[in-house]
Amino acid sequence: MLASGFAQAMVLCNGIIITITAFFVFSFYINDMAVQDYKKASDDAGRALVDGISNAEDSIQLISSILLLSENPNKDALAQQIRRNVPNLGYFDHVIWLFEDRPGNWQYKTIFQAMDNDVSGKDIYRLIPDKRIITRLVRDGYFAKLNINIVSDFDGMKYSSSRSDEKVMTRPFAFVKTVQENSSQSGIVIGVTRAALLFDQKLVVKNNAVARLTIREVDTERRIYHMDRTNNQVIFDGGSFDQNYNFFIGDSQWQVLMQFTKQENALIIENIPYIILLFGILLTSVGTLFIRNNNRQSKKLASVNQV
């Protein structure tokens, strides 16, 4: 009797231990696998954006250097030369060179301007350097700053939905770089762009698990880009499935924040540990009952043989 009870207890305890261990191991593995996939998606989007920003910064820096070193007095010809030779101007909607021709007389030359059909009908912000913008550039000391500055609140830089995709909100912003420190005659280069021009959105569009993508300025918390395609889908709770990527652009720190939905295949996979738990409990119960019944049968046979 003691041996029978001990055998049942051993089967029950070992079965429970193995089942619970398998449950936690598979839960951890599946959760970690999902987190790593989402982290990779966030890092890929962040790196793609950083690469685009770096190319745009290089173009602005190159334009500034050409303007500083050029001895061509014909400003129209100089702007055309830059347009033909500087790479990656397609990262911009509008690039202008603003300068003070003589005291109080400000002029600007368009170095690059995207056509409407080049951006598939999306909104294009055209920077018109009127008196208010010129006053701000002078007042805020942009002509005294040699590094590239980011401005996202020029007049008319509105945060609005894209005409091509209502799920996307976007705000234009500008790279601002003085040609020569404290020289309004040398001027300042302003390149207007949008986040959608700086990274391949297919990286996000093709990943159905991405529910929201937000790009924002850390200091001002001003959104530059926001995509929301939740459509009442279940968003993962907790920080484990919210991935963010911080980086610097010009003199500003930005953040890419991505949130993920539970896709159908993810829901199936995350239920595997519970299926294992259920089968483990069933098998343990069956094994315990089998030993119990087997012992009963043995006792019956023993009693019959004794008769």
Side-chain angles (χ1 to χ4, degrees):
M1 183 69 180
L2 182 61
S4 172
F6 179 75
Q8 293 180 53
M10 287 298 295
V11 170
L12 182 62
C13 290
N14 288 334
I16 291 174
I17 291 172
I18 293 172
T19 299
I20 293 176
T21 301
F23 172 78
F24 282 109
V25 168
F26 274 92
S27 295
F28 175 80
Y29 175 75
I30 291 172
N31 182 73
D32 183 68
M33 183 174 62
V35 170
Q36 293 303 319
D37 286 343
Y38 298 145
K39 188 176 186 301
K40 182 178 183 301
S42 177
D43 289 346
D44 287 347
R47 280 193 294 268
L49 181 60
V50 169
D51 289 344
I53 288 171
S54 297
N55 289 331
E57 286 180 328
D58 290 344
S59 295
I60 292 295
Q61 187 68 54
L62 180 57
I63 293 171
S64 176
S65 298
I66 292 174
L67 292 174
L68 177 63
L69 299 175
S70 177
E71 298 179 355
N72 189 345
N74 188 329
K75 292 181 170 55
D76 288 321
L78 182 56
Q80 186 175 11
Q81 178 186 359
I82 293 172
R83 189 180 307 120
R84 290 176 176 175
N85 295 288
V86 172
N88 297 321
L89 291 179
Y91 284 112
F92 300 94
D93 282 331
H94 198 197
V95 181
I96 67 168
W97 171 30
L98 174 67
F99 55 91
E100 192 176 26
D101 190 42
R102 59 181 185 274
N105 183 33
W106 291 87
Q107 302 289 330
Y108 76 93
K109 298 296 179 183
T110 297
I111 292 176
F112 175 79
Q113 180 171 303
M115 303 300 293
D116 288 344
N117 58 357
D118 289 338
V119 289
S120 304
K122 294 181 180 178
D123 293 330
I124 298 178
Y125 176 81
R126 304 296 188 196
L127 180 65
I128 306 299
D130 56 18
K131 184 177 180 180
R132 287 179 299 178
I133 289 181
I134 294 172
T135 300
R136 176 180 173 180
L137 291 171
V138 174
R139 181 194 65 215
D140 293 347
Y142 285 101
F143 285 92
K145 301 175 182 178
L146 283 175
N147 58 314
I148 295 176
N149 297 270
I150 302 299
V151 180
S152 59
D153 59 348
F154 278 141
D155 290 341
M157 285 186 167
K158 297 179 180 179
Y159 180 64
S160 58
S161 61
S162 170
R163 285 186 294 178
S164 64
D165 189 348
E166 294 181 354
K167 299 177 182 178
V168 173
M169 300 287 290
T170 185
R171 183 194 306 276
F173 62 95
F175 294 84
V176 180
K177 173 73 173 69
T178 187
V179 174
Q180 186 175 8
E181 187 177 6
N182 294 318
S183 175
S184 57
Q185 288 186 337
S186 297
I188 198 166
V189 179
I190 305 174
V192 178
T193 185
R194 292 168 285 116
L197 292 178
L198 297 176
F199 76 104
D200 187 0
Q201 296 180 87
K202 292 180 181 179
L203 288 172
V204 177
V205 173
K206 289 181 178 180
N207 191 337
N208 294 325
V210 179
R212 297 191 184 103
L213 168 63
T214 302
I215 303 171
R216 68 184 185 94
E217 293 178 322
V218 174
D219 294 337
T220 64
E221 297 188 354
R222 187 179 293 122
R223 284 183 175 180
I224 301 299
Y225 179 95
H226 180 68
M227 180 201 70
D228 188 341
R229 57 181 186 187
T230 52
N231 293 327
N232 298 320
Q233 294 174 337
V234 178
I235 302 293
F236 277 116
D237 294 325
S240 296
F241 297 100
D242 292 347
Q243 297 295 328
N244 61 74
Y245 185 100
N246 286 41
F247 61 95
F248 280 91
I249 168 173
D251 60 339
S252 301
Q253 185 179 13
W254 283 16
Q255 181 185 65
V256 176
L257 175 64
M258 299 180 76
Q259 292 179 291
F260 299 90
T261 58
K262 290 185 177 180
Q263 298 298 297
E264 185 176 352
N265 59 340
L267 290 170
I268 294 173
I269 293 174
E270 74 175 8
N271 284 325
I272 290 177
Y274 295 96
I275 296 172
I276 292 174
L277 181 64
L278 177 61
F279 274 99
I281 293 172
L282 290 175
L283 290 174
T284 300
S285 300
V286 169
T288 304
L289 291 174
F290 175 79
I291 293 175
R292 183 178 180 182
N293 290 332
N294 187 54
N295 287 329
R296 284 182 177 179
Q297 292 296 327
S298 297
K299 289 178 182 179
K300 288 182 180 179
L301 289 173
S303 60
V304 170
N305 291 331
Q306 288 177 357
V307 174

XYZ file of all heavy atoms in Angstrom, residues 58-60 62-64 66 80-90 92 111:
161
model
N 24.638 65.805 -45.068
C 25.826 65.913 -45.923
C 25.568 66.837 -47.107
O 26.454 67.612 -47.500
C 26.237 64.525 -46.418
C 26.800 63.645 -45.306
O 27.151 64.185 -44.246
O 26.866 62.413 -45.500
N 24.369 66.750 -47.679
C 24.034 67.609 -48.818
C 24.003 69.075 -48.408
O 24.527 69.951 -49.119
C 22.672 67.204 -49.403
O 22.726 65.898 -49.940
N 23.385 69.373 -47.265
C 23.335 70.749 -46.776
C 24.740 71.264 -46.481
O 25.086 72.409 -46.821
C 22.456 70.837 -45.510
C 20.988 70.569 -45.863
C 22.578 72.222 -44.860
C 20.357 71.596 -46.776
N 27.531 70.230 -47.858
C 28.244 70.398 -49.127
C 27.810 71.677 -49.834
O 28.647 72.414 -50.369
C 27.993 69.182 -50.028
C 28.675 69.194 -51.397
C 30.183 69.355 -51.257
C 28.333 67.917 -52.166
N 26.510 71.959 -49.836
C 26.021 73.205 -50.449
C 26.643 74.412 -49.772
O 27.104 75.355 -50.422
C 24.483 73.272 -50.371
C 23.851 72.201 -51.255
C 23.974 74.651 -50.776
C 22.354 72.055 -51.078
N 26.667 74.387 -48.433
C 27.254 75.494 -47.678
C 28.727 75.682 -48.014
O 29.204 76.815 -48.185
C 27.073 75.230 -46.175
O 27.706 76.228 -45.413
N 30.306 74.783 -50.811
C 30.453 75.288 -52.185
C 30.192 76.788 -52.228
O 30.929 77.553 -52.873
C 29.488 74.546 -53.136
C 29.909 73.083 -53.280
C 29.451 75.226 -54.502
C 28.933 72.244 -54.076
N 22.475 76.977 -60.050
C 22.271 75.935 -61.049
C 23.392 74.895 -60.995
O 23.145 73.688 -61.141
C 22.202 76.561 -62.444
C 21.847 75.585 -63.539
C 21.672 76.266 -64.889
O 22.018 77.431 -65.053
N 21.150 75.547 -65.858
N 24.613 75.349 -60.774
C 25.749 74.436 -60.665
C 25.566 73.489 -59.472
O 25.826 72.284 -59.564
C 27.037 75.242 -60.501
C 28.282 74.376 -60.341
C 29.528 75.210 -60.034
O 29.458 76.445 -59.969
N 30.643 74.543 -59.837
N 25.112 74.031 -58.364
C 24.873 73.208 -57.174
C 23.772 72.202 -57.456
O 23.867 71.024 -57.090
C 24.501 74.106 -55.970
C 25.703 74.952 -55.565
C 23.996 73.276 -54.804
C 25.387 75.998 -54.514
N 22.730 72.641 -58.111
C 21.589 71.767 -58.417
C 22.033 70.566 -59.252
O 21.519 69.461 -59.093
C 20.524 72.568 -59.147
C 19.183 71.839 -59.332
C 18.190 72.725 -60.068
N 18.060 74.022 -59.436
C 18.326 75.181 -60.047
N 18.743 75.202 -61.301
N 18.174 76.318 -59.397
N 22.969 70.786 -60.132
C 23.417 69.725 -61.023
C 24.402 68.762 -60.367
O 24.473 67.588 -60.759
C 24.072 70.341 -62.271
C 23.090 71.037 -63.219
C 23.848 71.682 -64.363
N 22.940 72.286 -65.338
C 23.342 73.003 -66.392
N 24.646 73.191 -66.592
N 22.471 73.507 -67.224
N 25.151 69.236 -59.394
C 26.283 68.449 -58.902
C 26.147 67.910 -57.480
O 26.859 66.956 -57.122
C 27.571 69.291 -58.982
C 27.950 69.633 -60.412
O 28.387 68.771 -61.166
N 27.769 70.886 -60.803
N 25.286 68.480 -56.687
C 25.149 68.012 -55.306
C 24.210 66.812 -55.266
O 23.084 66.878 -55.775
C 24.628 69.135 -54.392
C 24.305 68.587 -52.998
C 25.663 70.252 -54.290
N 24.621 65.702 -54.661
C 23.775 64.499 -54.616
C 22.701 64.594 -53.531
O 22.750 65.452 -52.647
C 24.770 63.391 -54.289
C 25.828 64.083 -53.473
C 25.946 65.471 -54.044
N 21.727 63.699 -53.649
C 20.703 63.486 -52.619
C 19.777 64.674 -52.381
O 19.197 64.811 -51.297
C 21.358 63.096 -51.282
C 22.120 61.788 -51.366
O 21.681 60.850 -52.027
N 23.261 61.731 -50.708
N 19.611 65.523 -53.392
C 18.655 66.621 -53.239
C 17.219 66.107 -53.223
O 16.303 66.817 -52.798
C 18.832 67.649 -54.368
C 20.134 68.455 -54.324
C 20.211 69.424 -55.509
C 20.263 69.220 -53.008
N 17.033 64.872 -53.664
C 15.702 64.270 -53.630
C 15.187 64.021 -52.225
O 14.014 63.699 -52.037
N 14.793 66.322 -50.233
C 14.180 67.590 -49.840
C 12.971 67.916 -50.717
O 12.869 67.481 -51.861
C 15.190 68.742 -49.953
C 16.408 68.570 -49.087
C 17.563 68.002 -49.595
C 16.391 68.974 -47.756
C 18.683 67.841 -48.803
C 17.513 68.816 -46.956
C 18.659 68.242 -47.474
N 17.612 76.574 -54.920
C 18.599 75.583 -55.346
C 17.908 74.312 -55.826
O 18.316 73.696 -56.802
C 19.577 75.282 -54.195
C 20.431 76.530 -53.921
C 20.466 74.092 -54.535
C 21.364 76.390 -52.740
